[in-house]
C-alpha cells in the first residue's frame, strides 16, 4: 500500500514539475510565437538529439533515486526522507536541474525555437537563484551535518571527475569485566594491518544494532549484547567519507574467533595507545578511555 501511495505521489510530482517545465510551457511558447516546422541544419539536429537523450536519461535516473533511495519525490512539498549521495549525486549536487536544462536545450535545437531557448536560459537563472536561497537551506535543516559533509565534498554545479563515496558502518567497542577493550588488526583492503574496533557495513533495511550483531557474528562467531551508542564518527578518507556508529557492547556467547582479522588484543586503559589505530577509530579512543 505504501509503495502504491509513493508511486502516485511521484507521478503527481512529475506532472507538476518536469512535464510542466519541459512540455506544457514549451508548447505554449511555440503556439504564442507562431512556430512552424522548418528544415533544420544537421549539426543542430544532432546536438538537439544528443542533449534531449542525455537529459531524459539523467532526469529519469534522478527521479528513480528520489523514489527508491530517498523515499520521496522531486517536489519540494513532498521531499525525500533520506539524503541521496549515490548515482549522479556522487558527482554533482543538482543533477536533476542539469537533466531538465539538457532536455530544454535539446527541444530548442530540434525545433529551432528561440522562444524555448530563452525559456531554457530563464529556467537556469531561476534555479541558480532558488537553490542556494531556498532548496539548500531546507536540505541543511532536514539532514544537518550529513548534508554539510556532502556539500564539502560534492560541487553544486560543476561535476567531480571521480565519484564521492559515503560509507556507513557500525563498530563494536567490546569490553569485559576487567574493563579491557577488544581491538582487532585489519587483515584486508587498503588499510590492512591497521587496528580497529570490529564491525562492518550496514545493509539496506538494517538498524545499526542489527547490523552490528550480524557483523560480529560473521567476523568473530560471537553473539554480543549492544548496550548503547558511544559516538558517531564522521571521517574523510582520501577515497571516501566514513560514517561510523560506535556502540558499547559485551559478549553474550562465543569465543571471539578471528575469521577475517590478522590479530586481536584485549587492551587495558593504559594499553590503548599501544596499537596503531586506523584514523577514524583513533577519534573514538579518547572517548573510550574516559569510560573505562
Amino acid at each position: 500500500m505504501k509503495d502504491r501511495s509513493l508511486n502516485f505521489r511521484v507521478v503527481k510530482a512529475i506532472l507538476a514539475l518536469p512535464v510542466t517545465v519541459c512540455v506544457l510551457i514549451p508548447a505554449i511558447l511555440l503556439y504564442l510565437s507562431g512556430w512552424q516546422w522548418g528544415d533544420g541544419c544537421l549539426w543542430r539536429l544532432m546536438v538537439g538529439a544528443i542533449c534531449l537523450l542525455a537529459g531524459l536519461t539523467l532526469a529519469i535516473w534522478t527521479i528513480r533515486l528520489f523514489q527508491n533511495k530517498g523515499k520521496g519525490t522531486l517536489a519540494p512539498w513532498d521531499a525525500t526522507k533520506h539524503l541521496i549521495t549515490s548515482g549522479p549525486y556522487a558527482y554533482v549536487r543538482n543533477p536533476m536541474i542539469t537533466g531538465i536544462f539538457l532536455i530544454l536545450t535539446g527541444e530548442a535545437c530540434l525545433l529551432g525555437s528561440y522562444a524555448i531557448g530563452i525559456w531554457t536560459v530563464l529556467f537556469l537563472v531561476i534555479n541558480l537563484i532558488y537553490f542556494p536561497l531556498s532548496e539548500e537551506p531546507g536540505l541543511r535543516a532536514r539532514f544537518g551535518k550529513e548534508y554539510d559533509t556532502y556539500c564539502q565534498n560534492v560541487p553544486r554545479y560543476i561535476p567531480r571527475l571521480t565519484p564521492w563515496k559515503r560509507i556507513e558502518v557500525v563498530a563494536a567497542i567490546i569490553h569485559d569485566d576487567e574493563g579491557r577493550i577488544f581491538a582487532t588488526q585489519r587483515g584486508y583492503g587498503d588499510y590492512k594491518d591497521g587496528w580497529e574496533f570490529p564491525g562492518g557495513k550496514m545493509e539496506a533495511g538494517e538498524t545499526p544494532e542489527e547490523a552490528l550483531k550480524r557483523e560480529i557474528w560473521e567476523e568473530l562467531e560471537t553473539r554480543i549484547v549492544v548496550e548503547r551508542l558511544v559516538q558517531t564518527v564522521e571521517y574523510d578518507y582520501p577515497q571516501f567519507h566514513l560514517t561510523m556508529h560506535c556502540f558499547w557492547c559485551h559478549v553474550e556467547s562465543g569465543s571471539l574467533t578471528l575469521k577475517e582479522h590478522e590479530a586481536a588484543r584485549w587492551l587495558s586503559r593504559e594499553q590503548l595507545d599501544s596499537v596503531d589505530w586506523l584514523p577514524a577509530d583513533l577519534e573514538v579512543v579518547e572517548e573510550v578511555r574516559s569510560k573505562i
Side-chain angles (χ1 to χ4, degrees):
M1 193 69 177
K2 289 183 179 180
D3 289 342
R4 288 184 180 179
S5 174
L6 180 56
N7 290 339
F8 180 66
R9 286 155 44 206
V10 169
V11 171
K12 286 199 302 182
I14 292 171
L15 292 174
L17 294 175
V19 170
T20 298
V21 171
C22 296
V23 179
L24 182 59
I25 293 178
I28 293 173
L29 292 173
L30 290 176
Y31 175 76
L32 294 177
S33 64
W35 174 84
Q36 292 183 343
W37 180 264
D39 294 332
C41 61
L42 181 60
W43 72 266
R44 180 164 57 78
L45 294 176
M46 290 181 61
V47 169
I50 291 171
C51 287
L52 185 61
L53 180 60
L56 284 170
T57 300
L58 194 52
I60 293 170
W61 191 0
T62 53
I63 288 170
R64 290 185 64 84
L65 284 172
F66 277 121
Q67 181 179 8
N68 297 330
K69 296 278 188 181
K71 302 303 178 184
T73 77
L74 56 93
W77 58 84
D78 191 9
T80 57
K81 295 179 175 61
H82 307 289
L83 181 65
I84 303 169
T85 60
S86 59
Y89 287 92
Y91 293 87
V92 67
R93 300 209 301 264
N94 296 312
M96 167 60 75
I97 299 306
T98 303
I100 300 301
F101 175 76
L102 288 172
I103 291 173
L104 290 173
T105 301
E107 291 176 350
C109 291
L110 287 171
L111 299 174
S113 170
Y114 288 107
I116 295 179
I118 293 172
W119 166 235
T120 302
V121 174
L122 181 60
F123 167 81
L124 183 61
V125 171
I126 290 171
N127 281 281
L128 287 176
I129 297 171
Y130 168 76
F131 268 86
L133 294 181
S134 179
E135 182 75 8
E136 291 183 359
L139 289 167
R140 188 166 284 108
R142 296 208 315 274
F143 300 114
K145 187 176 180 181
E146 182 183 10
Y147 184 67
D148 287 334
T149 300
Y150 175 64
C151 290
Q152 291 167 9
N153 290 277
V154 179
R156 182 183 288 142
Y157 300 120
I158 301 174
R160 294 166 50 107
L161 296 178
T162 57
W164 179 71
K165 296 180 181 178
R166 177 178 177 269
I167 299 175
E168 189 170 15
V169 302
V170 287
I173 304 173
I174 301 173
H175 66 95
D176 64 7
D177 294 336
E178 299 176 26
R180 297 180 303 172
I181 301 298
F182 188 71
T184 53
Q185 187 176 30
R186 195 173 181 86
Y188 57 90
D190 294 335
Y191 297 93
K192 184 179 181 297
D193 298 331
W195 286 79
E196 63 183 355
F197 299 106
K201 292 182 182 179
M202 294 176 59
E203 294 183 353
E206 284 185 320
T207 66
E209 293 83 354
E210 290 170 344
L212 191 54
K213 290 179 180 180
R214 174 185 53 76
E215 283 288 342
I216 296 304
W217 174 253
E218 292 175 357
E219 292 183 1
L220 300 168
E221 289 188 348
T222 297
R223 304 291 184 189
I224 60 169
V225 174
V226 180
E227 300 175 9
R228 66 183 184 276
L229 179 69
V230 173
Q231 184 177 353
T232 294
V233 175
E234 303 283 352
Y235 191 87
D236 283 308
Y237 283 100
Q239 304 92 338
F240 57 89
H241 176 82
L242 180 72
T243 298
M244 182 170 65
H245 307 290
C246 304
F247 288 85
W248 204 253
C249 308
H250 67 265
V251 173
E252 181 179 37
S253 63
S255 56
L256 296 170
T257 303
L258 300 184
K259 298 183 68 177
E260 299 181 11
H261 296 92
E262 290 184 347
R265 295 184 194 174
W266 282 100
L267 302 175
S268 66
R269 187 176 188 277
E270 294 73 21
Q271 295 172 324
L272 284 174
D273 295 329
S274 65
V275 298
D276 186 16
W277 293 99
L278 292 174
D281 294 75
L282 186 59
E283 294 204 358
V284 191
V285 170
E286 283 307 312
E287 182 69 18
V288 170
R289 195 193 310 274
S290 68
K291 295 182 181 300
I292 59 175

